[in-house]
Amino acid sequence: MSSSSFSRRLFPLSALAIAIGAASAPASAETLNIGVQGELASFDTSQVSGGVWESQVLMDVYEGLVKQSPDGELLPGMATDWEISDDGTTYTFQMREGAEWSDGEPVTAEDFVFGWQHLLKPENASKYAYMLYPVKNAEAVNTGEKPLDALGVASSDDGKTFTVTLDHPTPYFLQLLTHYTAYPVPKHLVDEYGRDWVKLDNIATNGAFKPVEWVSQSRISAEKSSTYYDVDDVSLDGVNYYTVEDRNAGISRFRAGELDVLTDYPSSRYQWLTENLPDATHMSPMLGSYYYVFNHRDGHPTTDARVREALNLVIRRNVLSQQIMAGSFKASTGMVPPGTSHYDAQQMDLGDDMDARMEKAKALLEEAGYSPDNPLNLRLRYNTSDEHKKIAIAVAAMWKPLGVNVQMINSEATVHYQTIAEGDFDVARAGWIADYNDAENFLTLLHTGVGNNYGAYSNEEYDALMDQAAQTLDLDERQTLLEQAENLALDDNAFAPMLTYVTRNLVNPELTGWEDNVEDDHPSRWVEFQD
């Protein structure tokens, strides 16, 4: 829906709460309606594609060993306390007594053993399996070199104690445990139903909410779980997650009271929103990178480093940030965003003289064999949104003076990421929001064999630096190694860094417990409507 088709009538913010519940899904003053960017791939965490919208749903219906407060602080979850060995390689968690799945079965350490093995099981082909690679033998299990029971996890004391052994100390390990890759899986249901355990007639979850309805490409509905250990402190009766890929239509639905939260409104609407919905419009710093992937697989023109460098040289990041995105992104020439813990943001050395950059880019393409008689043809894929389209059009225009012909292909988010994971592209839009506040979370995207390394970039020296950093105890030494790795990838033009994210959300001002944070995580468990 274009902006010209909006109702001219603005809801005063005081009236916004009155309109809550007007949506067609289950109506209740205590039901939170969220507009998310795409559709969940599955409630089986081993099959999730990696969208931030999926994290929003999964963090509400499942809970890991630890959970997050509204501002991102780590809190006890399915584990009430834990101990870490002096060498940092053994974590011993005491499981919460009385924790139950939504079908009333107890949540035990065995569910975590099974869940982590399930994620790493080779036949499940989880793109996120690498997240658990710090665990002893995890990579060998995931590649089929070792059996599942070789994984460094154990249940003891009748399921009351969960022990994890790591290959090496991992500073961010506790933060990692809030991610859905570290959630438990109900072993008793998998034993009974096999792959059908995730069907809504069979599923049980252990979070504050349980899924009860799924209308494809429309919404997922969840209701408060009566078996959740903290159920008395959960204010909401339920949550609806609406698939809203058209952000302008999402704004219209928010103004009409159909949505209480809209994630990621269009950057072009920021000024209008601050003028017309100032109390509802949120923007804050975020750990996230917006970049273009180059396909390094044989048969693609971007396997040539000269082509990659030429394409990088002529991208005007400040134009994208300030003119195309109206200042709602920050220009970037690196992968790891500013503000990342114990890390200095690195930058690609492009030079400031745009004319000189253009001449160098033309020379590189000519050297690579491209000319007016043999133009460079690229297939550029992006996931459907006006924002991504605008950026793609702008970048294609920047490449045009080089004689580059760009075929733009768009698809909805889930299909897009599945397609680029299969390698069907030359250049592809991608974005990465931190799963935990550590540079490794971004840089591992370029490690050989990692599921979300969409371009199949592979560099032995890069991998060696990353592997060495993973085993380095001294945080300063580790930082140096990670920065060396990023600079190696930047010098290799392994990808095209472009922008750094900020959080952009519309939030009903009648809500409490929804707080801006650098990871843009907002568990509904804390949210409530003011009286």
Side-chain angles (χ1 to χ4, degrees), residues 366-480:
E366 184 177 349
E367 185 182 331
Y370 296 99
S371 66
D373 294 330
N374 181 37
L376 173 59
N377 298 312
L378 295 174
R379 289 181 304 141
L380 169 59
R381 287 190 178 273
Y382 65 91
N383 50 304
T384 304
S385 88
D386 289 341
E387 195 167 87
H388 303 328
K389 182 178 181 180
K390 286 180 181 178
I391 291 175
I393 291 172
V395 172
M398 294 172 189
W399 288 341
K400 190 173 181 60
L402 296 179
V404 179
N405 298 321
V406 178
Q407 177 190 5
M408 289 186 285
I409 307 168
N410 72 294
S411 55
E412 61 93 8
T414 301
V415 173
H416 169 75
Y417 281 106
Q418 289 173 345
T419 301
I420 67 174
E422 295 166 357
D424 186 11
F425 69 98
D426 296 316
V427 182
R429 180 264 160 188
W432 191 261
I433 309 302
D435 297 309
Y436 45 88
N437 189 353
D438 193 274
E440 183 272 347
N441 190 223
F442 290 91
L443 297 178
T444 196
L445 297 171
L446 297 171
H447 195 292
T448 301
V450 165
N452 291 313
N453 181 354
Y454 300 115
Y457 177 69
S458 182
N459 183 307
E460 290 184 2
E461 187 179 352
Y462 183 91
D463 293 347
L465 286 167
M466 292 296 295
D467 294 343
Q468 185 179 351
Q471 301 181 48
T472 301
L473 291 174
D474 185 277
L475 293 180
D476 291 335
E477 291 180 16
R478 179 175 180 269
Q479 176 181 345
T480 298

Side-chain angles (χ1 to χ4, degrees), residues 478-495:
R478 179 175 180 269
Q479 176 181 345
T480 298
L481 291 167
L482 292 173
E483 289 175 358
Q484 287 176 353
E486 180 172 11
N487 278 300
L488 184 67
L490 294 175
D491 290 344
D492 202 13
N493 288 276
F495 64 105

Side-chain angles (χ1 to χ4, degrees), residues 131-152:
M131 292 277 285
L132 292 182
Y133 278 10
V135 179
K136 185 176 181 180
N137 294 329
E139 185 171 7
V141 168
N142 188 227
T143 57
E145 295 175 13
K146 290 189 177 182
L148 292 177
D149 59 12
L151 185 65

Side-chain angles (χ1 to χ4, degrees), residues 287-288 335-345 434 436-440 442:
L287 298 182
M335 175 62 85
V336 182
T340 301
S341 178
H342 217 98
Y343 196 82
D344 294 328
Y436 45 88
N437 189 353
D438 193 274
E440 183 272 347
F442 290 91

